[in-house]
Amino acid sequence: MDDKKLLQVNNLAVEFRTEDGIVKAVDNSTFFLNKGETIGIVGESGSGKSVTSLSIMRLIPDPPGKITEGEIIFNSKEKGDIDLLKLSEKEMRSYRGNEIAMIFQEPMTSLNPVFTCGDQVSEAIMLHQHLTNQEATVKTLELFKEVELPRPEKMLDSYPHQLSGGQKQRVMIAMAMSCNPSILIADEPTTALDVTVQATILDLMRNLRDEYDMSIIFITHDLGVIAEIADRVIVMYQGKIVEQGKVYDIFSNPRHPYTKGLLACRPPLDKRLYVLPTVSDFMQVDAEGNLVEIKKTVDETINELIITKEQTAARHKKLFEREPILKIEGVKTYFPIRKGLFSRITSHVRAVDDVTFEVYPGETLGLVGESGCGKTTLGRTILRLIEPTAGEIIYKGKDLARLTPKELRNIRKDIQIIFQDPYSSLNPRLTIGAAIMEPMQVHKIYTSDVERKSKVIELLERVNMSAIHFNRYPHEFSGGQRQRICIARALAVNPSFIICDESVSALDVSVQAQVLNLLNELREEFGFTYIFISHDLSVVKFMSDRMIVMNNGKIEELGLADEIYANPGTEYTEHLIRAIPTGKLEVIEAVQAKRKTKQSAE
């Protein structure tokens, strides 16, 4: 193998046995990784990117999975070129962690909740480096400082549930770095993190890569993130590599229609569109299963969908001349902090602190901010899922904060919520048909289950699902499909107001585009009013007429979404905007130029 190459994957094929037959998760994939290089593997869920990384680590569960052919040649520090697929499990164990480390997508499920973060990292160090407990603790503290964890001494004794998402991810990075590996595989390490936290994690990984001359395989569904960190890009679709090349070349001249679709479906920040482009705007699959390319560039597709400033102004004039449907006056939601033997209340967490705003019929009001800013608490307080400490919540002339439980139950069908995680908000024991029908039964909508079933099928078809899905269970669907089911359930009781709480944050960008387009279609069709909560300012800007920026329980800024983006009024809003990965060519050029300058200096 070439001296520069650290890893060479040749003709890799991975299969899984399922009830429907054999599925080819990875189909004849070939690529390489150079020393000190970062390659990005990008694609939707099911494209084979995570299975590829698990194959390199030899972590494919057998059964039901099996690596059927190919070779994975790794240039080991001690033994030179070896084929990882020919090693025994015992031999492979010596390479995992020591020479090839992995950061998994969800740090909460990767960290043991009953052990402190310090103990878990120390255990990995003692296992691989044969240090004493005391030596491992010293090394762990050094690593916690290196990954810039706040109060690293305290973090040694903290449990995973006491840390934020970004802090847990830093602990995982520290664990992965503990043995100074040659390759770090990062599988969706920033998915569902705030854009500001994501930016700091990307900075950290770049710095560690350069400091230790480490190679990174960075897996994500977001090409914007790839632009910030990768040297080369591999695009995967249905188990195959459909395109690969230097990051600038892929972004400036994407050749495969699937790559064009992934680039186009991210919400643009400098334009307002009717709908977001999706992968189907660039390619379709015919009846024989062949790929049919639609000959359009990304720019041509986006330019056909632009809304003019005059059209936006006309919509706003029509919206804001009506009476507000919701008035929030001085709402506060405080959570008590109890200490001592008798759990006396010593102080309060001011999650929502004296918030006032209005929402107009047919409007989408965006609510944006980092984790912990109070946006989700505010959404749940409006619905009285969390009781307000003070203030008024006037909906169609009624103060929801003063209603009795019975009065509130009657009004709940008018105000619905779509939660962040569609899997945990669906009962795994109920078919999706029963789950959508249940609120209709509670609120006595229609006189029989026959009528209700007919309505459920109509709703499923409206959210681009099918009648054949009625008797299936949540685990049988993808994340995007489950979110569509949750939207159908919210529509079942004919609401007029819907709160969308981070409802697309964990979805692939292509699926996210489809769900956002669907929400906008439904708003126009049924005249819904939305409060759209997200930590992603680009998504909020696409969806919203007006936007509220929240910080520490207070409203930092409120105004028209386009105006806030163009002229942010506070430093905090500027900070949020700067953290959004744009994928612009000038940004890629600057990142690559800085990297070359640093390499030349070394």
Side-chain angles (χ1 to χ4, degrees):
M1 195 163 69
D2 187 329
D3 286 345
K4 283 186 178 179
K5 287 183 183 174
L6 186 59
L7 187 77
Q8 175 73 52
V9 176
N10 294 322
N11 304 314
L12 180 67
V14 185
E15 294 179 349
F16 283 86
R17 289 187 179 277
T18 70
E19 292 177 359
D20 300 321
I22 291 175
V23 174
K24 278 197 170 184
V26 178
D27 190 0
N28 197 31
S29 290
T30 297
F31 64 93
F32 64 90
L33 174 67
N34 288 328
K35 292 175 181 176
E37 181 185 39
T38 299
I39 59 169
I41 304 181
V42 70
E44 298 170 287
S45 294
S47 63
K49 56 189 190 298
S50 290
V51 174
T52 299
S53 68
L54 291 170
S55 300
I56 295 168
M57 295 289 286
R58 289 271 307 275
L59 291 174
I60 297 292
D62 183 8
K66 189 177 183 182
I67 299 172
T68 55
E69 61 180 286
E71 54 183 11
I72 301 172
I73 309 298
F74 171 62
N75 190 320
S76 168
K77 294 173 187 174
E78 297 177 359
K79 297 185 180 179
D81 290 354
I82 54 165
D83 186 351
L84 298 180
L85 297 184
K86 291 181 178 175
L87 298 179
S88 67
E89 175 57 29
K90 185 179 179 182
E91 289 171 322
M92 186 64 206
R93 212 173 290 137
S94 66
Y95 289 95
R96 287 193 203 112
N98 281 326
E99 298 207 51
I100 308 174
M102 188 165 183
I103 305 167
F104 294 95
Q105 179 171 351
E106 178 46 67
M108 194 64 215
T109 57
S110 305
L111 292 169
N112 193 321
V114 301
F115 292 103
T116 66
C117 295
D119 283 344
Q120 293 184 64
V121 177
S122 295
E123 182 186 29
I125 293 170
M126 287 188 287
L127 178 66
H128 290 287
Q129 298 189 17
H130 309 294
L131 300 181
T132 65
N133 190 14
Q134 189 175 1
E135 290 169 333
T137 302
V138 171
K139 172 83 171 170
T140 301
L141 184 58
E142 288 172 4
L143 285 165
F144 280 8
K145 288 175 181 175
E146 197 161 4
V147 299
E148 298 171 15
L149 273 167
R151 306 179 306 281
E153 292 84 0
K154 186 178 179 183
M155 290 294 172
L156 287 174
D157 298 319
S158 297
Y159 289 89
H161 73 272
Q162 296 174 301
L163 276 60
S164 69
Q167 288 170 345
K168 284 195 281 278
Q169 202 59 282
R170 287 172 189 271
V171 171
M172 290 299 299
I173 293 171
M175 192 182 295
M177 294 299 300
S178 63
C179 298
N180 192 18
S182 301
I183 299 175
L184 177 64
I185 301 173
D187 187 6
E188 301 269 15
T190 60
T191 298
L193 293 180
D194 297 340
V195 285
T196 49
V197 177
Q198 174 178 270
T200 61
I201 295 292
L202 293 176
D203 273 340
L204 171 64
M205 293 184 72
R206 276 192 293 262
N207 293 337
L208 291 171
R209 173 196 65 193
D210 296 341
E211 184 179 342
Y212 291 98
D213 194 28
M214 180 176 64
S215 300
I216 296 177
I217 298 175
F218 193 99
I219 296 166
T220 182
H221 59 255
D222 189 344
L223 271 163
V225 173
I226 288 288
E228 302 275 320
I229 195 166
D231 300 307
R232 286 187 302 114
V233 184
I234 293 168
V235 182
M236 293 193 73
Y237 174 67
Q238 292 187 349
K240 294 179 184 287
I241 293 176
V242 295
E243 188 165 5
Q244 57 180 309
K246 291 181 179 178
V247 64
Y248 186 87
D249 296 340
I250 296 289
F251 275 75
S252 60
N253 187 26
R255 298 185 180 279
H256 196 276
Y258 181 68
T259 312
K260 293 178 185 178
L262 289 179
L263 283 167
C265 62
R266 296 174 62 253
L269 286 162
D270 53 350
K271 303 176 182 74
R272 183 168 281 277
L273 306 182
Y274 289 105
V275 294
L276 288 173
T278 61
V279 171
S280 62
D281 290 311
F282 299 91
M283 58 180 257
Q284 291 176 354
V285 179
D286 63 19
E288 284 76 40
N290 301 313
L291 199 68
V292 180
E293 180 178 357
I294 300 167
K295 298 284 186 181
K296 270 187 181 181
T297 67
V298 173
D299 287 341
E300 283 172 348
T301 304
I302 288 175
N303 289 337
E304 290 173 2
L305 302 172
I306 291 175
I307 302 174
T308 65
K309 289 182 179 178
E310 291 74 21
Q311 289 170 317
T312 302
R315 171 175 164 77
H316 290 163
K317 185 176 184 298
K318 188 178 177 182
L319 275 177
F320 303 140
E321 66 187 10
R322 301 170 70 182
E323 276 294 307
I325 190 172
L326 178 72
K327 292 182 181 181
I328 304 295
E329 296 280 352
V331 166
K332 300 177 182 180
T333 307
Y334 295 172
F335 296 111
I337 297 173
R338 300 176 183 272
K339 287 184 179 178
L341 182 62
F342 299 104
S343 297
R344 290 193 179 93
I345 297 173
T346 56
S347 61
H348 289 85
V349 174
R350 301 186 175 199
V352 178
D353 196 8
D354 199 15
V355 166
T356 297
F357 63 91
E358 297 174 338
V359 187
Y360 293 86
E363 178 186 19
T364 299
L365 178 70
L367 205 52
V368 69
E370 297 172 292
S371 292
C373 71
K375 57 188 187 295
T376 293
T377 302
L378 176 57
R380 295 185 179 210
T381 300
I382 291 169
L383 287 168
R384 288 268 306 272
L385 297 176
I386 296 173
E387 290 296 329
T389 305
E392 296 179 340
I393 305 166
I394 311 296
Y395 176 72
K396 292 184 176 179
K398 294 181 179 178
D399 186 355
L400 302 187
R402 306 286 178 270
L403 296 183
T404 64
K406 185 179 180 181
E407 292 170 326
L408 191 61
R409 199 176 303 120
N410 291 332
I411 214 167
R412 278 206 193 281
K413 67 173 185 275
D414 208 34
I415 311 177
Q416 287 290 297
I417 185 167
I418 302 167
F419 293 101
Q420 177 174 356
D421 182 359
Y423 194 74
S424 62
S425 53
L426 290 169
N427 188 331
R429 293 184 179 86
L430 288 182
T431 64
I432 65 158
I436 297 170
M437 197 188 294
E438 187 179 41
M440 298 165 75
Q441 293 166 331
V442 169
H443 290 286
K444 296 181 172 56
I445 296 172
Y446 301 112
T447 54
S448 71
D449 281 349
V450 173
E451 290 179 285
R452 292 181 188 117
K453 182 175 180 178
S454 175
K455 180 65 177 177
V456 169
I457 290 169
E458 181 188 319
L459 288 169
L460 284 172
E461 289 171 348
R462 185 61 196 85
V463 298
N464 302 324
M465 300 287 285
S466 167
I468 62 171
H469 295 139
F470 186 93
N471 290 316
R472 294 186 185 175
Y473 289 88
H475 72 272
E476 298 179 72
F477 298 93
S478 69
Q481 288 174 319
R482 285 197 290 264
Q483 199 58 281
R484 290 171 187 274
I485 293 162
C486 289
I487 292 170
R489 184 177 61 179
L491 299 180
V493 290
N494 303 317
S496 57
F497 196 108
I498 298 177
I499 295 175
C500 303
D501 184 12
E502 299 274 14
S503 52
V504 296
S505 65
L507 300 179
D508 295 340
V509 284
S510 52
V511 178
Q512 173 182 282
Q514 294 168 22
V515 173
L516 294 177
N517 289 341
L518 173 63
L519 289 169
N520 277 339
E521 279 176 34
L522 295 170
R523 182 187 67 186
E524 298 308 310
E525 184 177 336
F526 296 105
F528 291 142
T529 304
Y530 290 135
I531 288 181
F532 193 90
I533 300 169
S534 179
H535 61 254
D536 188 338
L537 197 142
S538 61
V539 170
V540 169
K541 180 183 174 294
F542 167 72
M543 287 295 292
S544 306
D545 298 294
R546 289 184 304 143
M547 184 193 300
I548 291 174
V549 181
M550 283 192 74
N551 185 23
N552 292 327
K554 293 180 179 289
I555 292 178
E556 191 87 11
E557 197 165 350
L558 189 160
L560 294 174
D562 292 341
E563 289 180 7
I564 285 180
Y565 174 73
N567 300 294
T570 69
E571 193 176 317
Y572 178 75
T573 308
E574 280 187 47
H575 176 57
L576 284 180
I577 292 169
R578 280 197 305 270
I580 301 169
T582 61
K584 289 183 177 178
L585 294 178
E586 55 267 32
V587 173
I588 296 170
E589 279 185 314
V591 169
Q592 293 301 312
K594 185 179 177 183
R595 181 143 161 68
K596 284 177 184 174
T597 304
K598 200 168 185 178
Q599 286 171 335
S600 300
E602 291 168 353

